[in-house]
Amino acid sequence: MKYSIQVILTILCMAAFLPKLKAEEGEKVKWIYNYQEALEKACQTGQPIFLEFRCAP
Amino acid sequence: MSQYVLLRITTLDGIDINHFDWDRHNALYFFMLNADEHIYMHYGGRDSRSAMSYLNMESLELALSQGLEQHELYKAGKIEPKLKTGTPIYPRDIPSLKKSVIDKNRCVECHLVQDYAVTEKEANGTLDKLQDMYVHPDIRDLGIELDVPKGLRLAETSGAAKAAGILPGDVITSLNGNGTLTFADFQNRLNKVHRLSREIDLTVSRDGETHEMKVALPDQWWITDLSFRYWTIDPLVFFKAVPLNDAEKEELELPSEGFASRVTEVDINALLEDAHELEEGDIIVSVENVQKDELTQDVIIHIKLKHRAGNSITLGVLREGTLQEMTLKTKRQRFRKRD
């Protein structure tokens, strides 16, 4: 229970963290939720992957 | 971020945890990699102070920029590919995790992978508490205080780092020959250093020049505050004790290198569990007739490293100048109870 509360608090802190990048770029950030799909997209576009492991959806 | 493919993983059941190795007691953690699964860097990590100790907008922007640089170097063939090696390991390959979490359709959270992996190792006798439980030592114990927004630039040095000649403003670029770009890279590399090692090699960049430094590791550099992990290293002993210093030992005519830990607090559970009859002020001088341990002079850490939960242990105890034997019945931490 304590761990869950800690996780939620961290996520809330981070919620103020990542979207700032989005706002600065003025673009909609679109996340992929499938590992293989991301690899395929990176292969097609030649872009690197920014992978986020997030403990809660 | 628009220059990256953005991938968010919220459950680890399809992830090769052999390839993606990190401190899993983090609610958020990041990697930058490419389509070949070559990992450029880790980003994230924390310490006992806060989950946000090393997370910072400016350092993330720096890391994103470094990731793009690494990607260009990779495409130009200037970075040797580090592709996946060995057999992939998935969370379902940890039997107790599969049984308790995956087969019950529960979310495979990152910390569960670490918790069950340790439980599994303990069950099959391969648990190395030094490496597997005293995880991710605090870099501040090496005298390294980072200027967090600037990545691996040092704000201050003290202790071992200062003695090695590392200066504020230096930027750490490798640990034992392995390149580091972020705090998370550094933490990950430090975690792989064997706990009995006495020295690490650090490379730092100073005013555009590269300097190789040897940092002598302090005694017990691997002891870490584990409280945020909700992890207690078994066995539970139901008391607190502090090792005496040399002067105190000399006054009691005890050998300087031997155990002599003064009991400072007795947990109420000692009574409830009938675990021991220690009292505040008792001095523990031996454990199962062992009077010293080259790893530690701390009796409690010695017990945690050398004894399994559930064992009864005989302690040699000085009480009011008289040596007597006492039995300590150890217990297991509740969350690690097997199903």
Side-chain angles (χ1 to χ4, degrees), chain A residues 3 6 10 14 17 21 24-25 27 29 31-33 35 46-55, chain B residues 1-2 4-10 20 27-33 37 55-57 61 71 111:
Chain A
Y3 195 91
Q6 188 184 48
T10 305
M14 290 300 292
F17 183 65
L21 283 175
E24 284 172 357
E25 292 169 359
E27 295 175 13
V29 174
W31 293 89
I32 293 172
Y33 288 82
Y35 184 72
Q47 291 177 313
I49 298 168
F50 181 68
L51 164 57
E52 176 191 271
F53 285 109
R54 176 179 281 237
C55 199
Chain B
M1 286 180 82
S2 62
Y4 283 85
V5 172
L6 303 179
L7 170 60
R8 175 174 288 161
I9 299 292
T10 57
F20 291 102
L28 286 166
Y29 204 92
F30 307 90
F31 284 84
M32 288 162 223
L33 66 152
E37 299 183 81
L55 293 177
N56 171 278
M57 272 300 297
E61 288 175 351
H71 192 54
H111 70 95

